[in-house]
Amino acid sequence: MELSDKLFYSLVGFGSLAALGACTFLGGGDGAAFALFAILVLGGSLVCIWERSVVRSAFCLIGTFGGTAGLFLLLGSDFLAMSQILIYVGGILALILFGVMLSPPDLTERKLPRVLSGLVAVGAGVAFVAAKVASTVNWVQAAELAEPEHATERIGVGFLAYDQYAIAFELAAIVLTVALVAAVYVARRRKIDLQDEGAQG
Amino acid sequence: MTAESHFLAFDPAQDFKLLFLAFVLPLVGYVIQISVGKRLPRQGDWLLTSGLFATASITVLMFAKSLWAAYHGLEFRHHSGDEAGLWFHWFYSSDELANGVANVSAAIFYDPLGAAMLMVVGVVSFCVHLFSIGYMHGTPRYHIFFANISLFTFAMLGLVLSDNLLFLFIFWELMGLMSYLLIGHFSHDPSSGYFHKWATKACKKAFLTTRVGDTCLLVGMVIFFWKFETFRFTELWRLSIEEIARHQSMHPGEYPLWMTVGGLFIFGGTIGKSAQFPLHIWLPDAMAGPTPVSAMIHAATMVAAGVFLLGRCYPMFTPDVLDVIAAVGTITAIFAATIGTTAYDLKAVLAWSTISQLGFMVAAIGLGGVVAGLFHMVTHAFFKACLFLSAGSVIHGCHHEQDMRNMGGVRKHMPITFACMLASTIAIAGIPFFSGFYSKDMIILRAWENILGGKFTGASFFAAVGLPLAAACTAFYMFRMIFMTFSDSYRPGTVESNFAHHAGGHDDHGHDEHGHAAHGHDHHGHDDHGHAGHGHADHGHAHHEHGHAAPAHAHAASAHGHEAHGHDAHGHDSHGEHATPHESPLPMVVALCILAFLGVFGGHFWLADPLHSLKFWEHAHTWFETSVSFQSLYGAQIGDQLAAAVAVDEHAAHLAHIVALSVSLTVASLGILVAWLIYGRGWERSQRVAGQITHSIHALYEVVKGKYFVDEALGTAIVVDMKRKDEPRYEPDASVIGASMHVANLLGWIDRNVVDATVNLVGRIGMSLGKGSATFDRVVIDGAVNGVGLFTQTFGSVVRLFQSGRVQQYATFAVFGGLALAAWLILL
Amino acid sequence: MGLGAYIAVSAALFALGIVAILVRRNVLYVLMGIEMILNAANINFVAFNRFNHAAGSQSNLDGRMFAIFVIILAAAEAAVALAIVLNVFHLFNSVKPAEADLLRE
C-alpha cells in the first residue's frame, strides 16, 4: 500500500463512520440502514474508481449494485431490488468480468493526478449544482407517506395488461433479443480475420 | 336482389379483413423471403408472385365493389375503425384523451380514390413480379430482389390504405428507402458483372433528392397538426374547409396564410416524390436500376404516391397553393416533354415521358380537376408500366442495348412486345378510344373550362397553352421512339453507344442463357443445377440449341446454387454483337399482355357505362362524371363546397368540351405526323432530316439535350465521361455538397468584393490619416495586421487541440459544458 | 430519511460515474461508469415514485416500471458494449479509449 492508498482508505473509512453516525442520529434505525446502503453505493464506486486493478474495480461494483438494491428495499420496491441483484450482479457484472478477462492487465494506466482532479472537478461541479438546487427547490413532501406497498403482483399485472405496460414490455423483450443477437454478431471473429491470423501465424 | 345483400356490396365485417390481408401479404412474403428465400426452390419467386396474385385479386374485387357502389349511387367511403372497430392504437394513452394530441391511432380508410389506387398498385405490382421472373433470372441476389419489390409494394399499399397523414408519411419514407435499395440493387458486389457505379450513385441521388421533398412534407404535416391537432384525413378536410370559411367571413377574398404555407410544404413532398421541377433530377437517373424496378417506380409506386398525396390533401389547399401546383405541373410537363424529344436511350425517353405525364397530373389537380388528375394517374400507371416492361423486353432481346440508334426493325423479331408497346404508345399519345386520350383530354378540358368559365388565373392560362404543347411533344417523341426502335431493319453497332458500358453493365439480367443460345450453346446443363423449374428459359428459343456442351466453368458456377458470377461474366463476354433480337420468355410476355390490355381499355374501364362505352366520347362521359366526383371522393358536404369552387356554367363547359377535344386531337395527330415525317421513312433519311433540323437550331438543341442544365445548377449531374466510360464523374451526395459549395462560392465572392473592399477602404483611410505620423502608422497598422495573423495562428492551434478524436476528451467537454450551462441557468 | 437524502446519494453516484468515464484510461471503466450513472437514475426514479405516494391515495407504478425498463436496457447495453470493447481491442490492440481516435479523421 502506498501512502496515497492509505490516506484514501482511511478517509473513506472515517467518512463512512461519520455518515453512519450522522444518519443514525437524524433518522434512528431507518437512518442507519439508509446510511449503510448509501455507504455501500458510494464507497463501492469510489473504490472502483481508485483501484489500480480492473478486477478489483469490477468486484467493488458489487457494493454499488447491492447497495442500490438495498435502497430500493428501503423505498418499498422489493421486486425491483430482486431484479437489480439478479440482473446487475448476476448478469452485467459477470459480463464486465468477462471483458476484464479478455483484455490485457495494465496496472500503470491509473494516473493519480488525473483521478484526483477528476474527483475534485466533477465533485465540485455537481455539489455546486446540487447545493443550489437543494436550497432553491421547494421540497413539498406529502404530509404523511403511505405505507410502502409491496407491489410485486401489481407489477406483474402491469406487464400483462394491455392498457398499461404490455407494449413497452414486449418492446423491451424485442430490444433485448435484438441487442443480444447484435452483440453476438458484432463480437464474432470473421473468417477473413481468422485467415489473416492464420497467414501471420 | 337488394343493394345490401348483393355480393358486390361492401361488407365492413369481412372486407376490411380482406383488405388487411391484401396489405399484409407482401410483408409476410418479404419476411419469409428474407429469412429462408435463398433455400426455397427457385429462390422463392413463385411464393411472392402468387402472394401478389392474391393481393391483386383482392384489390380488383374491392375495386369492383367501389364501381358497383358508384353505379348505384351509393356513397363509398369506409373506415375500419368507425365501422368494424379495427384500430391500431399507437401512442394511445387513455380514452379520456381520445381526440387529443396524445393519442395517435390508425385504421384502414377505403374510398374511391383509395380503391382505384389500390387496384393499380396490386395489378401493376403483380405484373412486375411476373415479369421479373423472366427478366431477373440468373442474376445475383435474386431472392433479395423479390423480397425488396414485395416490401416496396407493401409500403405503397400501406400508404394508400392509411387513414391519416402520419402513417402515410411512415410508408412514404419506407418507400424512399426501398427505392434506394432497388435502384442500387446491383451495387453491393463490385465483382458482379451487373455492378456499375452509375447505379450506386443514382440510388444515392434518388434517396437524397427525395429526402428534400420528404422534409418539406414533414414540415407541412407538422404545421397542419399544430393547428388542427389531428392527422386523420377526414378531420383535416372538414377542419380546413371550416377554417377557410371562417377566415373568409372575416377577411373576404383572403385565405389563411398559414394554410397556404403548410399546403406549399405538403406540395414540396410531391415535388420530391413525383419528380416535379426542380427536384425531378433523380428520376431519369433512377432508370439505372433494373427495368422492373423502373416500371414499379414510374407506374405503381413512388411517383404515383406524390400525386396520390395531392389527391388526399386537395381540400387542405388554398387557391393560392393550387395556382402554384398548376404552374409547377405545367412547367414540368413542357420541360420534360421537350427533353424527351432529344433522348437516345430507350429508357431515358420513357423516364422523361413519366416526368412530363406527372406534370399533367399535378397541373390537373392544381387546376381543380382532381378527378382528371387521378384518372390520368390510373391510366398512366397501366400504359407506362407496359411501356417500361416492353422496353425491358426489347433491351433484354437486343442483348444489353439501350441506345435506340442501335436497334431498329425489332418488330419482326419481337412481334408481341411490339404490339404491346405500340398499343401503350398510342394510349400515351392520346388517340381516341385508347385510355390515355380520355384522361389527358379531361385535363386539358379542365384548363379550358377554367378560362372560358371566367375563373381566369395566370396559372390556368399557362396550363391551357402549355399542356397541349407538352401533349404534342409527347406524341412526337413516343412515336419517334417507336419508329427508331421497331421500324426499318436491325442495325446493331451503328453508333458507339454512350450507354452500352455502364447501362449494359448494370441493367441487363438473365442474359447468360441468351448469350449462350445466340452462340449455339446448349444450356440444359445449366438448368439442371438449381434452375430445374425454369423451363421457360428454353421456351422462347429452343431452336437455337445445337447440342454443344455448356462451358465447363459456367457449369461449375451454376452448380453451386446462385453464386453465379462465373456464368454471368461468360454471358456478358460472349453475347454476339450481331445476334438478332428474340422474343422474351413466357412470364414476361404474359405480364406485358395483361398490362397492354389494361393500357388500352383502362379508359373504358373507368368510363364504362358498359352499354355505351363504344359510343361517342361525351355519352360515355356522363356516367363517369356523375359517379366519380368531388362528392364521392371527399364526402357530400365537403365535396359540394369543393365542386362549387370550380363549377362553371353550362355554356362555358360545353364550349370548353369542344375546344379541348379539338385541341387534343390536333396536337396528338400533329405530333405523330411530325414523328412520321422525320423518323418514319427509313433510317438514313431520318438521320439526314434530323441532322438538318438539329443543325439549324443548334444552340436550342444543345440546351434541351443538356436537360436545361438543371442537374449542373443543383450540382448533382452524373456526367458520363466519353473517354473513360467506366468512370462516370459524379459526386454522390453532391446535392448536399453542391449546395454548400454554391453557398461557399457566394460567401467567397462577398468576402472578395465586399469585405476585402471594405478592408482596403479602411486601410486607405488609415494611411491617409496616418500620413502625418509614420511611426504611429507603422505601430498601429502593422501591429493590427500582425496581431490578426498571430491571433489566427494561435486560435487555430488551440482549436486544433480540441479535435483530438479521443472520446473521453469529448465527453469531458460535454460534461463541463453541461455543468456550465446548469450554473448559468441557476445563477442568472 | 427524506427524499433529499436519496437525491444526494443519486447525485453523488452520478458524479462518480462521470469521473469513472472520464479519468480512467480503460474502456471497461467507461462501461462501469455508465452502469453507475444508470443506477443513479434508477435511485431517482424509485425515490420520486415513493415520495409521491401520500397516505390514502392510490399508488402509481410508473417510476418503478421505468426503473425496470432501465435495468433491461442496461443489460442490452452491457452486452453490446462488451461486444464493441472486444472489437476495439481487436482493431487497435488496446483497450485504451485514447488510442481509438479514428473520430479525428
Side-chain angles (χ1 to χ4, degrees):
Chain A
M1 289 263 270
E2 287 173 19
L3 182 61
S4 60
D5 285 341
K6 285 178 188 166
L7 271 176
F8 173 77
Y9 284 116
S10 39
L11 262 179
V12 170
F14 283 127
S16 307
L17 279 181
L20 186 62
C23 288
T24 318
F25 177 71
L26 287 174
D30 275 359
F34 171 79
L36 203 65
F37 290 133
I39 289 165
L40 265 181
V41 170
L42 298 183
S45 37
L46 256 179
V47 177
C48 166
I49 294 170
W50 185 267
E51 264 300 335
R52 283 184 186 76
S53 138
V54 194
V55 187
R56 279 194 221 165
S57 288
F59 276 113
C60 286
L61 280 182
I62 295 181
T64 305
F65 297 152
T68 312
L71 290 180
F72 289 165
L73 265 185
L74 285 186
L75 288 166
S77 304
D78 45 359
F79 178 73
L80 206 47
M82 277 186 323
S83 323
Q84 168 86 10
I85 290 180
L86 267 177
I87 297 177
Y88 268 104
V89 183
I92 296 180
L93 203 58
L95 270 180
I96 292 178
L97 281 171
F98 271 121
V100 172
M101 281 192 284
L102 292 172
S103 61
D106 179 8
L107 291 181
T108 62
E109 92 16 71
R110 191 202 65 164
K111 298 282 183 282
L112 194 58
R114 220 172 130 88
V115 173
L116 284 178
S117 59
L119 281 175
V120 170
V122 176
V126 173
F128 164 72
V129 173
K132 197 73 191 176
V133 169
S135 62
T136 47
V137 172
N138 184 15
W139 301 103
V140 183
Q141 269 191 19
E144 201 181 339
L145 283 183
E147 278 300 299
E149 163 213 33
H150 296 284
T152 311
E153 303 88 7
R154 285 194 53 210
I155 288 182
V157 170
F159 272 154
L160 297 180
Y162 75 96
D163 60 341
Q164 295 193 31
Y165 305 99
I167 295 205
F169 180 64
E170 298 293 340
L171 277 181
I174 293 171
V175 167
L176 203 51
T177 317
V178 171
L180 291 180
V181 174
V184 173
Y185 178 76
V186 171
R188 84 201 190 287
R189 309 293 295 273
R190 293 174 191 79
K191 256 185 205 162
I192 302 170
D193 300 342
L194 291 175
Q195 280 165 2
D196 284 355
E197 279 166 21
Q200 285 161 11
Chain B
M1 195 176 276
T2 63
E4 284 73 29
S5 65
H6 193 277
F7 80 101
L8 279 177
F10 194 83
D11 172 17
Q14 299 219 319
D15 289 352
F16 282 123
K17 287 176 192 153
L18 272 179
L19 280 172
F20 185 70
L21 185 69
F23 157 64
V24 104
L25 269 177
L27 179 65
V28 174
Y30 170 78
V31 172
I32 295 176
Q33 188 72 351
I34 279 290
S35 41
V36 297
K38 201 168 186 179
R39 297 193 195 87
L40 291 175
R42 298 180 48 132
Q43 302 205 26
D45 55 3
W46 51 274
L47 187 77
L48 289 182
T49 310
S50 49
L52 250 292
F53 181 70
T55 295
S57 316
I58 295 174
T59 57
V60 169
L61 172 68
M62 292 295 153
F63 180 64
K65 292 192 174 194
S66 86
L67 279 185
W68 186 86
Y71 195 78
H72 289 269
L74 301 174
E75 180 159 275
F76 190 80
R77 306 171 69 245
H78 298 282
H79 190 271
S80 71
D82 295 344
E83 292 180 34
L86 288 177
W87 283 101
F88 168 65
H89 294 306
W90 200 42
F91 293 142
Y92 194 81
S93 52
S94 69
D95 289 335
E96 291 91 69
L97 294 169
N99 295 313
V101 187
N103 291 341
V104 176
S105 340
I108 293 177
F109 181 58
Y110 196 63
D111 66 342
L113 172 57
M117 195 65 217
L118 203 69
M119 188 266 300
V120 170
V121 176
V123 173
V124 173
S125 293
F126 168 65
C127 291
V128 169
H129 274 72
L130 196 60
F131 186 83
S132 306
I133 290 181
Y135 193 84
M136 299 296 286
H137 171 67
T139 58
R141 298 174 78 242
Y142 183 72
H143 65 292
I144 299 285
F145 179 81
F146 272 90
N148 281 349
I149 49 174
S150 222
L151 195 63
F152 204 5
T153 312
F154 163 76
M156 188 65 194
L157 292 171
L159 185 141
V160 172
L161 285 175
S162 58
D163 75 326
N164 65 64
L165 208 45
L166 183 64
F167 274 76
L168 184 142
F169 184 73
I170 290 173
F171 288 114
W172 179 280
E173 288 293 324
L174 180 57
M175 211 143 58
L177 171 69
M178 296 321 293
S179 68
Y180 168 76
L181 291 178
L182 282 170
I183 294 170
H185 180 66
F186 288 122
S187 62
H188 294 261
D189 181 9
S191 65
S192 146
Y194 302 101
F195 174 81
H196 202 277
K197 276 191 173 165
W198 191 32
T200 320
K201 286 159 182 172
C203 69
K204 280 180 193 159
K205 182 174 176 180
F207 192 70
L208 290 171
T209 313
T210 51
R211 192 61 57 257
V212 176
D214 295 353
T215 313
C216 285
L217 174 59
L218 186 61
V219 173
M221 261 169 63
V222 171
I223 289 177
F224 275 93
F225 186 72
W226 167 54
K227 285 285 187 182
F228 290 154
E229 299 194 343
T230 178
F231 284 124
R232 275 184 71 171
F233 289 120
T234 42
E235 296 285 301
L236 286 172
W237 297 341
R238 186 176 56 77
L239 291 167
S240 302
I241 297 282
E242 285 171 10
E243 170 75 15
I244 289 178
R246 202 176 54 77
H247 199 273
Q248 288 269 3
S249 67
M250 289 193 294
H251 314 277
E254 288 181 27
Y255 296 93
L257 182 63
W258 74 265
M259 277 185 72
T260 305
V261 174
L264 284 177
F265 271 115
I266 287 188
F267 177 53
T270 302
I271 292 185
K273 211 67 151 187
S274 284
Q276 297 297 296
F277 180 84
L279 293 185
H280 64 276
I281 47 174
W282 65 272
L283 193 60
D285 289 318
M287 70 182 173
T291 300
V293 175
S294 306
M296 281 285 265
I297 288 178
H298 287 251
T301 54
M302 277 308 263
V303 298
V307 182
F308 180 78
L309 174 77
L310 284 189
R312 270 279 188 255
C313 296
Y314 179 77
M316 293 150 63
F317 295 137
T318 62
D320 303 331
V321 180
L322 291 179
D323 275 352
V324 174
I325 294 177
V328 171
T330 313
I331 290 173
T332 311
I334 306 175
F335 168 85
T338 47
I339 297 177
T341 58
T342 63
Y344 282 120
D345 185 341
L346 183 57
K347 280 174 80 180
V349 175
L350 295 177
W352 288 110
S353 139
T354 302
I355 297 177
S356 169
Q357 299 303 311
L358 287 168
F360 272 90
M361 301 170 207
V362 169
I365 291 175
L367 295 168
V370 179
V371 174
L374 298 172
F375 182 29
H376 193 53
M377 180 174 75
V378 171
T379 55
H380 172 260
F382 289 133
F383 56 67
K384 186 49 64 68
C386 181
L387 281 170
F388 254 104
L389 295 187
S390 309
S393 183
V394 170
I395 295 166
H396 189 257
C398 289
H399 311 292
H400 303 194
E401 188 52 70
Q402 269 183 261
D403 195 313
M404 294 192 296
R405 286 169 294 189
N406 294 342
M407 293 178 175
V410 181
R411 180 187 45 171
K412 293 178 211 98
H413 307 285
M414 309 178 74
I416 306 178
T417 303
F418 169 67
C420 295
M421 198 154 190
L422 183 66
S424 303
T425 304
I426 294 176
I428 196 176
I431 302 294
F433 306 115
F434 287 78
S435 62
F437 168 75
Y438 299 102
S439 50
K440 206 184 275 186
D441 184 73
M442 266 178 90
I443 294 173
I444 295 174
L445 168 68
R446 184 66 245 165
W448 282 100
E449 267 185 1
N450 273 5
I451 293 177
L452 298 174
K455 297 190 181 299
F456 183 87
T457 62
S460 301
F461 183 71
F462 184 37
V465 178
L467 291 183
L469 205 64
C473 286
T474 307
F476 171 71
Y477 66 70
M478 288 313 289
F479 272 87
R480 167 177 178 266
M481 178 193 83
I482 286 285
F483 289 134
M484 283 180 85
T485 310
F486 289 102
S487 71
D488 210 22
S489 58
Y490 189 49
R491 43 172 195 278
T494 303
V495 293
E496 193 186 347
S497 168
N498 298 355
F499 307 102
H501 279 74
H502 62 259
H506 65 74
D507 194 59
D508 291 79
H509 328 300
H511 273 270
D512 38 345
E513 316 84 13
H514 304 298
H516 293 310
H519 279 263
H521 289 302
D522 182 324
H523 54 283
H524 263 139
H526 174 111
D527 271 347
D528 287 341
H529 296 278
H531 293 275
H534 285 224
H536 62 79
D538 299 299
H539 190 92
H541 38 84
H543 56 279
H544 283 301
E545 292 172 14
H546 288 220
H548 294 269
H553 67 280
H555 201 101
S558 54
H560 291 93
H562 291 259
E563 310 279 337
H565 309 314
H567 72 256
D568 289 341
H570 181 81
H572 272 262
D573 293 337
S574 68
H575 76 76
E577 277 300 319
H578 298 279
T580 51
H582 51 77
E583 190 60 88
S584 300
L586 188 63
M588 293 167 71
V589 171
V590 170
L592 279 184
C593 292
I594 297 174
L595 284 172
F597 177 80
L598 288 170
V600 173
F601 295 104
H604 293 281
F605 191 42
W606 265 62
L607 302 178
D609 183 342
L611 297 176
H612 298 111
S613 61
L614 286 177
K615 289 202 178 174
F616 189 58
W617 176 76
E618 276 185 63
H619 291 267
H621 215 70
T622 47
W623 176 80
F624 181 68
E625 283 200 333
T626 49
S627 59
V628 184
S629 61
F630 282 114
Q631 283 82 353
S632 68
L633 283 182
Y634 302 111
Q637 209 182 349
I638 298 170
D640 283 340
Q641 297 193 32
L642 293 176
V646 298
V648 295
D649 65 89
E650 205 167 311
H651 175 68
H654 187 68
L655 193 60
H657 271 188
I658 296 169
V659 172
L661 182 60
S662 42
V663 163
S664 47
L665 279 178
T666 315
V667 292
S669 38
L670 207 63
I672 296 173
L673 181 70
V674 174
W676 181 76
L677 281 176
I678 299 180
Y679 292 100
R681 298 182 295 168
W683 168 246
E684 281 76 21
R685 191 165 177 180
S686 79
Q687 281 305 92
R688 206 172 57 243
V689 177
Q692 281 167 359
I693 294 174
T694 52
H695 185 71
S696 61
I697 51 167
H698 183 70
L700 182 64
Y701 180 76
E702 286 302 317
V703 170
V704 175
K705 192 162 173 54
K707 303 163 196 170
Y708 297 95
F709 306 114
V710 176
D711 289 78
E712 282 76 3
L714 295 177
T716 61
I718 294 180
V719 182
V720 180
D721 195 335
M722 299 296 271
K723 294 192 186 77
R724 300 183 56 206
K725 282 170 192 151
D726 53 342
E727 282 287 329
R729 184 160 52 82
Y730 169 58
E731 292 296 328
D733 36 7
S735 44
V736 180
I737 292 177
S740 36
M741 284 221 351
H742 289 305
V743 172
N745 282 337
L746 183 68
L747 292 179
W749 184 86
I750 292 176
D751 192 39
R752 276 194 310 280
N753 294 305
V754 179
V755 179
D756 285 6
T758 317
V759 169
N760 288 342
L761 188 67
V762 169
R764 234 171 264 149
I765 293 173
M767 291 262 285
S768 58
L769 280 180
K771 252 177 193 169
S773 173
T775 321
F776 178 80
D777 198 42
R778 196 167 57 241
V779 169
V780 174
I781 306 291
D782 288 7
V785 171
N786 288 341
V788 167
L790 195 64
F791 174 74
T792 315
Q793 204 175 0
T794 321
F795 186 71
S797 55
V798 170
V799 167
R800 198 172 48 196
L801 293 179
F802 289 91
Q803 179 75 10
S804 64
R806 292 185 184 164
V807 184
Q808 281 180 310
Q809 197 179 354
Y810 291 172
T812 314
F813 297 147
V815 167
F816 284 100
L819 279 176
L821 189 67
W824 182 66
L825 285 175
I826 289 169
L827 294 179
L828 298 179
Chain C
M1 301 305 282
L3 177 57
Y6 286 97
I7 292 179
V9 170
S10 150
L13 183 56
F14 179 81
L16 289 174
I18 289 200
V19 173
I21 292 177
L22 295 188
V23 304
R24 298 300 296 258
R25 297 179 180 277
N26 186 331
V27 192
L28 289 162
Y29 281 93
V30 176
L31 261 179
M32 297 189 208
I34 291 173
E35 301 302 341
M36 290 181 207
I37 289 174
L38 290 174
N39 263 305
N42 270 353
I43 293 176
N44 260 1
F45 275 127
V46 179
F48 276 113
N49 184 257
R50 167 74 181 121
F51 288 95
N52 196 22
H53 182 198
S57 67
Q58 171 70 27
S59 77
N60 186 332
L61 278 181
D62 285 351
R64 277 174 272 177
M65 276 297 181
F66 231 99
I68 287 181
F69 289 127
V70 170
I71 292 180
I72 293 172
L73 288 184
E77 172 260 354
V80 175
L82 187 67
I84 293 174
V85 167
L86 290 181
N87 256 2
V88 167
F89 176 55
H90 191 66
L91 196 62
F92 297 97
N93 250 329
S94 155
V95 285
K96 297 181 181 176
E99 291 179 12
D101 56 357
L102 279 178
L103 264 184
R104 185 174 51 183
E105 303 302 322

